[in-house]
Amino acid sequence: MKKRKLIILAITIIAAALLLEGFILKYVNDKNSDRMSKVLLDRVITVLDKNDKSEEALIKSLKDDYIVRAKAVSYIIDAKSEVEYDVDELQKIAALISVDEIHLFDTKGYIYSGSVPKYFGYSFDSGEQMAYFKPMLKDKKLTMCQDVTPNTSEAKEMMYAITWNEAGNKMI
């Protein structure tokens, strides 16, 4: 009988020890999992922050590039004035400098020529996207590039850059 009680007591102590060990292991694993989750979440946040900064730098670089392209088209049109109203030639220039569209604006902000005739007549008053460039009407030293925005006519996502030509009598 004593032997039996001793065996039952030993089994009970071993079972209790196993249960206690299981609870301790679960607690430790939960703590480690929580700590690891926080570390991984911090890493993800760091990567996202770096990506945001990188995206901002890339967008700034892209805007600078588009401004250079607008100035290049302005220079070409000033140097070769016969292309000003030549849609086919303006389309060739657009393809050459890798832009979707070229628009020529008069001093009042109306499109009077370009590579896409269906936009002729649109102005800075035609919609919110185009109104962004209104400050250029008052300051001929301005060159502007907007963020990617749906264009006025088709809501097509575009990024436009506009500059004044050397003479200050048109915007490109």
Side-chain angles (χ1 to χ4, degrees):
M1 194 72 163
K2 278 190 170 188
K3 208 174 186 179
R4 193 172 191 198
K5 285 184 181 181
L6 198 58
I7 291 174
I8 291 175
L9 181 63
I11 290 174
T12 304
I13 291 172
I14 291 173
L18 285 174
L19 278 173
L20 183 61
E21 181 184 17
F23 286 124
I24 291 171
L25 284 174
K26 181 176 180 349
Y27 174 78
V28 168
N29 282 338
D30 287 348
K31 280 286 198 186
N32 285 338
S33 176
D34 186 49
R35 201 173 325 124
M36 190 58 124
S37 294
K38 287 179 182 175
V39 167
L40 289 174
L41 188 58
D42 286 344
R43 284 186 185 172
V44 167
I45 289 169
T46 301
V47 167
L48 289 174
D49 287 343
K50 284 181 182 178
N51 285 348
D52 286 345
K53 288 176 186 171
S54 180
E55 179 186 21
E56 288 170 12
L58 286 171
I59 289 172
K60 183 188 178 317
S61 175
L62 184 61
K63 285 181 173 184
D64 291 343
D65 182 54
Y66 284 167
I67 287 170
V68 167
R69 292 176 195 212
K71 288 180 178 182
V73 172
S74 175
Y75 179 80
I76 292 168
I77 292 170
D78 282 348
K80 196 175 176 186
S81 60
E82 65 271 12
V83 303
E84 185 172 354
Y85 294 96
D86 188 338
V87 173
D88 291 333
E89 195 63 27
L90 289 170
Q91 288 172 347
K92 287 178 189 175
I93 294 169
L96 179 67
I97 64 167
S98 298
V99 296
D100 293 322
E101 305 165 355
I102 294 174
H103 304 293
L104 282 72
F105 293 82
D106 63 20
T107 57
K108 293 180 180 168
Y110 284 85
I111 298 175
Y112 69 89
S113 185
S115 63
V116 187
K118 68 182 177 180
Y119 297 146
F120 295 1
Y122 278 80
S123 75
F124 292 163
D125 293 320
S126 295
E128 183 181 338
Q129 174 268 320
M130 291 182 72
Y132 172 84
F133 296 103
K134 273 187 173 182
M136 293 189 70
L137 297 173
K138 293 178 184 159
D139 186 353
K140 292 188 177 189
K141 292 185 184 348
L142 272 182
T143 294
M144 298 177 72
C145 186
Q146 67 186 163
D147 292 326
V148 174
T149 307
N151 72 358
T152 297
S153 66
E154 302 168 359
K156 180 177 166 186
E157 296 285 320
M158 301 287 281
M159 180 182 280
Y160 288 100
I162 299 181
T163 190
W164 281 95
N165 70 336
E166 285 294 316
N169 58 6
K170 64 177 142 277
M171 292 172 274
I172 294 90

